[in-house]
Amino acid sequence: MIASLFHYPLPVFHCTARAGNNAEIRMQERNGNHINGIKNIGFLRRAAVMLCKLALVAGLFHAAQVRAEPVVIELRGDSTGLGIDGGLLAKNASDIRVVSQPPQAFIHLAGVVIRNVSVSGESTATMLNGHFSGHPWEQAAQGDCADIVIFNYGINDSLTLDEKTYADNLETLIRISRDNNLEVFLQTPNPSRLTKVADYAQIMRDIARKHGISLIDVQQYLSARIPSGQLRNFMPDGIHPNQEGYALIGKFMQGRLRDLLLRRNLIALARGDAHAVLRDGVWHGRFSYGRRPALGQAANSCQKRRT
C-alpha cells in the first residue's frame, strides 16, 4: 500500500542494534542496490528507525523476564533416541553402536543443557516399571532434576503393547511427571518399516492435544521430508536412522525446541543481536536466540525441588 502511494517498490529495511541502544537503518532496493538521496521516502526511514527501536526495546524487556539458571532438558527414548546406527545394523544385526553425532549433537541453544538418557529397548512399560533403570518412574521422577522431559516412545511399544495400554502408559508418564514439577514434551517415533508405528504416533498426537502438551512430530516431519521410496537411504534397516537420518532429526528438534522455549520465556533474544526486516509490508524478525547461564549455577542443582 505504501509503495503504491509513492509509485516506488517497497524497500527492504535492516535494523541493527548499536551502542547506547540506538538503532541504525539501512535500506536496499529489491535488486540489492542501496537507496540514497530519495527525498519522498524520508518519512519511511524515520518510521523504520522507530520500529527498530521498539523491536530492540521489546527484545531487551523479553530477555529481562527470562530466569537466570540453565534449562535442563532430558531426552528419554529408545534406541532411536539414543542414536543407534541403522547403517551398521543393516550390515550386521549384532553391530550395535551409536552414531558419532546423535540427535542432541545438533541442538545448540545457549543456556540450555541437553541430557540424552535414552535406553535401547525402552518402552512406556519398561520406563514405568524401571526394568532397565532399576527405578520405577514414580520413584525416579521425584529426584529428577530436569525442567523438561521429552518422551520418545512408540517403536518398541508397537511390538509389545496394544494401543490402549500404550495410551494409558503415556498418560501415566505425563501424570507422574507433572506431579513432580517436570514439564513434558512428546516426540513421535521416526517412520519405520513396522507398520503399526504410524498408528502409535497418531495416538501420541491425540494425547498431546488432549493434555495440552507440546509435540515434536518427527514422524510427520520425516514422512514429508523423505519420499517413501527413499526411506532406506536414511533408515537402512527400516527402523534405526543412520547419521544422515539423525542429522535431520536433530536439526528439526533444534528448531522446534527453540520456538517452544522462546514462547515460555526460557530463552530470549541475546542483547545486541536483534535484527528485523520490513518486507512486503510485514515486519519480519531475524533473531539470535539464547542467553548465558548465571555464573556458578549448577545445571543439576535441583533448587526447584526445594522451593
Side-chain angles (χ1 to χ4, degrees):
M1 178 178 175
I2 294 175
S4 64
L5 287 174
F6 289 92
H7 307 288
Y8 189 86
L10 189 64
V12 177
F13 295 88
H14 297 278
C15 172
T16 305
R18 295 297 184 193
N21 291 332
N22 292 322
E24 177 182 300
I25 192 71
R26 177 169 56 85
M27 294 192 294
Q28 282 183 306
E29 293 177 293
R30 295 183 185 283
N31 61 10
N33 295 326
H34 291 282
I35 300 172
N36 295 306
I38 300 174
K39 297 180 180 178
N40 64 347
I41 62 168
F43 85 98
L44 284 178
R45 184 186 296 272
R46 292 191 296 273
V49 169
M50 182 177 295
L51 286 172
C52 285
K53 289 181 178 180
L54 289 173
L56 294 173
V57 170
L60 294 176
F61 175 78
H62 176 67
Q65 309 305 308
V66 178
R67 68 179 204 172
E69 69 271 16
V71 179
V72 180
I73 300 177
E74 272 184 358
L75 311 182
R76 291 188 172 271
D78 51 29
S79 55
T80 63
L82 182 61
I84 297 297
D85 192 340
L88 296 178
L89 288 175
K91 299 173 184 176
N92 180 357
S94 299
D95 192 356
I96 303 173
R97 283 183 278 169
V98 175
V99 294
S100 59
Q101 291 185 295
Q104 71 272 16
F106 299 90
I107 303 174
H108 305 287
L109 297 168
V112 175
V113 176
I114 302 290
R115 293 180 182 156
N116 192 340
V117 292
S118 299
V119 177
S120 184
E122 193 87 278
S123 68
T124 57
T126 59
M127 180 66 188
L128 283 171
N129 65 30
H131 174 79
F132 291 107
S133 68
H135 302 284
W137 185 234
E138 186 91 51
Q139 175 186 348
Q142 296 176 23
D144 196 301
C145 296
D147 297 289
I148 298 168
V149 177
I150 301 178
F151 292 126
N152 172 19
Y153 301 119
I155 293 178
N156 293 319
D157 298 80
S158 74
L159 297 171
T160 59
L161 302 175
D162 59 59
E163 293 185 1
K164 183 181 184 306
T165 302
Y166 172 65
D168 290 344
N169 284 355
L170 274 179
E171 295 199 316
T172 302
L173 286 172
I174 293 166
R175 176 187 58 77
I176 293 172
S177 301
R178 287 178 164 177
D179 286 348
N180 287 278
N181 301 318
L182 297 168
E183 182 169 5
V184 175
F185 291 173
L186 294 178
Q187 178 173 324
T188 56
N190 55 258
S192 170
R193 62 177 170 79
L194 303 173
T195 56
K196 293 171 63 178
V197 169
D199 296 331
Y200 282 58
Q202 185 57 52
I203 292 171
M204 180 177 281
R205 292 187 192 101
D206 294 340
I207 288 176
R209 189 179 304 110
K210 173 182 176 182
H211 293 280
I213 290 175
S214 296
L215 184 71
I216 302 173
D217 202 340
V218 169
Q219 171 95 193
Q220 183 182 63
Y221 171 73
L222 291 183
S223 296
R225 178 76 169 72
I226 304 172
S228 58
Q230 297 180 25
L231 187 63
R232 292 272 181 168
N233 293 339
F234 297 89
M235 281 147 242
D237 70 339
I239 299 175
H240 301 85
N242 55 16
Q243 183 62 81
E244 291 75 15
Y246 285 120
L248 286 178
I249 293 171
K251 291 174 183 177
F252 174 66
M253 291 176 68
Q254 153 87 9
R256 186 77 177 114
L257 285 173
R258 177 198 62 197
D259 294 341
L260 292 172
L261 297 179
L262 184 65
R263 292 176 196 171
R264 288 163 171 76
N265 280 359
L266 293 176
I267 60 173
L269 303 181
R271 184 182 298 271
D273 285 345
H275 298 275
V277 178
L278 185 65
R279 183 183 297 114
D280 298 329
V282 178
W283 193 258
H284 297 269
R286 294 190 290 116
F287 303 114
S288 294
Y289 296 90
R291 57 176 171 68
R292 299 195 179 279
L295 294 176
Q297 176 67 49
N300 62 349
S301 66
C302 257
Q303 286 191 347
K304 67 185 178 69
R305 303 264 178 243
R306 299 194 292 269
T307 57

